[in-house]
Amino acid sequence: MKQKILFLLASVILLIACSSDNNSEPQLTEIPQSFQMYYNGKYKVFSNLRVIKSVYNKDQSNEYSALNIVTWQENESLTERMSLSINKWKNGRTIVNELWYVDPDDKTYIYSPSSNVDFKVEINPNTDVYEIKGTLYGIIYQNSGPSEIKITQGIFSFKY
């Protein structure tokens, strides 16, 4: 009888300990040519990225590429999409201009580095001139609306 009670007690403790693990998000691993993230706790992946590139100050010391990375396809909804606008100079310097996210209800969320301190887009330093990798996370606000979303563990990787 003691063994059954101890077994039952051990099972309950194990069940309680494991149930707290269910609240954490599994760590994401890089998928080339994609945006990945948890959007309000739900995993999202945008793949098949399209990069629109314009080169400015060609063959000058301050030459840079304006990149607009877009995806109009997503595994769960054709209306959901994301766009990231950045500038990358030949010396590797990179700045983020803005990020747009349109949710399945067609609500638009916009991140601009100059106006949103609750959201971050960080570009990882690299030596490959034609590759961008980085992270995104935080709270992003609906354009002209009351809604907000939380993005966690956002990662992106693309070549252009």
Side-chain angles (χ1 to χ4, degrees):
M1 182 69 168
K2 273 187 173 180
Q3 287 180 336
K4 288 183 181 180
I5 292 173
L6 286 174
F7 178 75
L8 183 60
L9 184 59
S11 297
V12 169
I13 291 171
L14 183 60
L15 181 62
I16 291 170
C18 290
S19 68
S20 65
D21 293 344
N22 294 337
N23 295 333
S24 64
E25 299 165 341
Q27 187 68 34
L28 299 179
T29 56
E30 181 183 312
I31 298 174
Q33 299 300 106
S34 75
F35 285 103
Q36 295 179 77
M37 70 188 101
Y38 286 97
Y39 157 84
N40 289 341
K42 184 178 177 186
Y43 175 70
K44 297 283 181 186
V45 60
F46 293 89
S47 56
N48 303 320
L49 299 182
R50 184 168 49 111
V51 180
I52 302 162
K53 175 182 171 183
S54 300
V55 177
Y56 295 92
N57 304 325
K58 183 96 171 129
D59 298 325
Q60 297 178 29
S61 61
N62 61 345
E63 178 182 325
Y64 70 95
S65 297
L67 306 170
N68 192 27
I69 303 90
V70 298
T71 179
W72 309 132
Q73 301 174 24
E74 204 275 327
N75 295 341
E76 297 177 351
S77 171
L78 293 177
T79 61
E80 192 173 17
R81 55 200 178 274
M82 183 174 266
S83 169
L84 175 64
S85 172
I86 60 175
N87 292 346
K88 183 166 184 180
W89 280 261
K90 283 180 14 178
N91 66 6
R93 178 176 169 240
T94 306
I95 63 166
V96 176
N97 296 318
E98 65 183 11
L99 176 130
W100 287 57
Y101 172 71
V102 180
D103 74 8
D105 296 324
D106 209 30
K107 293 179 187 171
T108 301
Y109 299 82
I110 301 172
Y111 161 72
S112 174
S114 62
S115 63
N116 187 343
V117 296
D118 298 327
F119 192 79
K120 298 284 183 219
V121 177
E122 298 174 346
I123 306 295
N124 299 343
N126 68 60
T127 56
D128 188 337
V129 175
Y130 300 105
E131 180 178 50
I132 304 282
K133 293 182 181 186
T135 59
L136 51 120
Y137 55 91
I139 305 293
I140 188 169
Y141 300 97
Q142 181 184 0
N143 187 38
S144 302
S147 297
E148 63 184 42
I149 58 172
K150 182 177 183 182
I151 294 177
T152 56
Q153 290 194 49
I155 57 175
F156 55 91
S157 171
F158 62 89
K159 290 188 179 246
Y160 60 95

